Amino acid sequence: MAESKAKGTANPERFKIPIKTILVTQPQPTTDNSPYLSIAEKYDIKVDFRAFIEVEPVPFKEFRKDKVDILSHTAVIFTSRNAVDHFFRICQESKIEMPADMKYFCISDQTAYYLQKYITLRKRKLFVGEKTAKDLFEVIKKHKSEKYLFPCSNIRKEDIPNFLAANKIKHTEAIIYKTVAADLSDLDEVTYDCIAFFSPSGISSLFINFPDFKQNNTRIAAFGPTTAKAVRDAGLELDIEAPMPNAPSMTGAIEVYIQNQQQHLKK
């Protein structure tokens, strides 16, 4: 792919074109109170949902080749529901029952709550960050003597492994699921006014499925710095970047763009 010529500034000509269609590269919401649906109703915009990436389990036979001894660890780090699901799948297939004194470090309350699907939680063995990996680091620092197991995908951020290594904390990574490009052959085209991406994997999936994709007048929205970098590295111009100080969510950033655009067009 060509190197990016954009610096994250919206194209002035594209900015003049109202957004009437949005493709969100995530699964369809299961509830009727999605903020995307609120935007659709408020601004008369057609919003479609289509997951650009899928999760595949690492087969137990493949996991065994890495020779990860789960029970030799005293703590497990969970950063997502996928990690929780696939970790306990591996435990079940290994016929392993987690000991009562195993400690669990979760990146957020949501992940910790989901963990209750598999175990009975006790305060003495559950530790939770506020929301980000950086928040979790402060918790882990207080428990540096543990031997951590980090179940993760084949595609993951470097922040947690780098932190553990830099602080000389004993740990093992275990790849238990894979993030792969979804088959988007059911989509005839991706000519939307705006496409919202949430991970570098989503950008990769776009070009795997549509190698001749041209941005033209499509606004590209990206959540998080690594996704924003992937957009630019792919030679695309980034029009909407989230989170922003006044808009911490993707929907908030898109709405700010729409409002600014409407004010500009009224002049």
Side-chain angles (χ1 to χ4, degrees), residues 29 74 84 90 93 102 122 136 168 172 176 215 241 262 264:
T74 60
V84 173
I90 289 292
E93 294 178 1
M102 181 68 74
R122 300 183 180 88
L136 188 59
K168 298 181 179 179
T172 306
I176 55 173
Q215 184 171 359
E241 187 167 0
Q262 289 180 341
H264 176 78

Side-chain angles (χ1 to χ4, degrees), residues 3-4 9 24 33 37 44 47 49 72 74-75 82 91 113 130 134 181 189 192 199 207 236 238 246 256 258 262:
E3 291 184 6
S4 173
T9 304
V24 180
N33 61 350
L37 303 181
D44 190 24
V47 178
F49 298 87
S72 70
T74 60
N82 281 327
C91 287
Y113 181 78
E130 290 184 12
K134 189 175 181 181
E189 53 188 1
Y192 286 79
S199 70
F207 285 97
L236 302 174
L238 182 58
N246 60 335
V256 167
I258 292 171
Q262 289 180 341

Side-chain angles (χ1 to χ4, degrees), residues 199-201 203 225-236:
S199 70
S201 299
I203 302 296
T226 56
T227 309
K229 181 179 184 300
V231 168
R232 297 182 179 117
D233 288 348
L236 302 174

Side-chain angles (χ1 to χ4, degrees), residues 18-84:
I19 290 179
K20 288 298 179 183
T21 59
I22 298 175
L23 177 61
V24 180
T25 60
Q26 289 186 327
Q28 178 84 28
T30 55
T31 62
D32 295 330
N33 61 350
S34 167
Y36 291 102
L37 303 181
S38 299
I39 285 182
E41 183 177 351
K42 185 175 181 180
Y43 297 100
D44 190 24
I45 292 173
K46 180 178 183 289
V47 178
D48 290 335
F49 298 87
R50 184 66 168 88
F52 270 41
I53 58 175
E54 295 177 346
V55 169
E56 292 183 350
V58 168
F60 178 58
K61 288 184 178 180
E62 185 176 332
F63 171 78
R64 288 183 61 185
K65 292 178 181 177
D66 292 334
K67 298 181 179 179
V68 175
D69 183 357
I70 293 176
L71 294 180
S72 70
H73 299 80
T74 60
V76 185
I77 298 173
F78 289 121
T79 58
S80 70
R81 291 184 178 186
N82 281 327
V84 173

Side-chain angles (χ1 to χ4, degrees), residues 10-264:
N11 183 298
E13 293 305 312
R14 275 203 304 276
F15 189 65
K16 297 176 183 178
I17 303 171
I19 290 179
K20 288 298 179 183
T21 59
I22 298 175
L23 177 61
V24 180
T25 60
Q26 289 186 327
Q28 178 84 28
T30 55
T31 62
D32 295 330
N33 61 350
S34 167
Y36 291 102
L37 303 181
S38 299
I39 285 182
E41 183 177 351
K42 185 175 181 180
Y43 297 100
D44 190 24
I45 292 173
K46 180 178 183 289
V47 178
D48 290 335
F49 298 87
R50 184 66 168 88
F52 270 41
I53 58 175
E54 295 177 346
V55 169
E56 292 183 350
V58 168
F60 178 58
K61 288 184 178 180
E62 185 176 332
F63 171 78
R64 288 183 61 185
K65 292 178 181 177
D66 292 334
K67 298 181 179 179
V68 175
D69 183 357
I70 293 176
L71 294 180
S72 70
H73 299 80
T74 60
V76 185
I77 298 173
F78 289 121
T79 58
S80 70
R81 291 184 178 186
N82 281 327
V84 173
D85 282 337
H86 289 283
F87 174 75
F88 284 98
R89 171 184 60 82
I90 289 292
C91 287
Q92 183 179 22
E93 294 178 1
S94 305
K95 294 182 172 55
I96 288 175
E97 185 174 338
M98 298 305 288
D101 59 351
M102 181 68 74
K103 297 181 175 65
Y104 301 93
F105 291 75
C106 297
I107 198 167
S108 66
D109 285 329
Q110 290 85 351
T111 305
Y113 181 78
Y114 188 73
L115 188 57
Q116 295 182 86
K117 179 179 177 181
Y118 295 96
I119 62 171
T120 301
L121 297 179
R122 300 183 180 88
K123 289 185 178 180
R124 65 181 175 82
K125 66 176 182 180
L126 178 66
F127 306 89
V128 186
E130 290 184 12
K131 191 174 183 181
T132 67
K134 189 175 181 181
D135 298 327
L136 188 59
F137 294 163
E138 297 305 313
V139 180
I140 292 175
K141 281 180 181 178
K142 299 175 183 177
H143 302 271
K144 295 181 69 173
S145 62
E146 304 293 341
K147 185 177 180 182
Y148 289 88
L149 180 63
F150 178 36
C152 59
S153 166
N154 60 320
I155 299 175
R156 53 103 179 105
K157 295 180 180 179
E158 300 285 346
D159 47 5
I160 290 178
N162 286 350
F163 166 79
L164 296 171
N167 287 272
K168 298 181 179 179
I169 297 174
K170 293 180 180 178
H171 67 283
T172 306
E173 282 188 49
I175 298 176
I176 55 173
Y177 64 100
K178 296 179 180 180
T179 304
V180 299
D183 179 2
L184 304 178
S185 57
D186 57 305
L187 291 179
D188 293 331
E189 53 188 1
V190 282
T191 53
Y192 286 79
D193 294 325
C194 177
I195 305 178
F197 292 96
F198 301 84
S199 70
S201 299
I203 302 296
S204 297
S205 179
L206 171 68
F207 285 97
I208 288 172
N209 283 277
F210 305 98
D212 298 323
F213 174 79
K214 298 292 188 293
Q215 184 171 359
N216 298 323
N217 291 322
T218 297
R219 266 52 59 92
I220 300 294
F223 190 88
T226 56
T227 309
K229 181 179 184 300
V231 168
R232 297 182 179 117
D233 288 348
L236 302 174
E237 292 187 9
L238 182 58
D239 301 274
I240 303 168
E241 187 167 0
M244 304 191 307
N246 60 335
S249 66
M250 175 65 89
T251 49
I254 291 174
E255 186 164 19
V256 167
Y257 180 92
I258 292 171
Q259 291 172 346
N260 290 340
Q261 185 183 59
Q262 289 180 341
Q263 292 175 5
H264 176 78

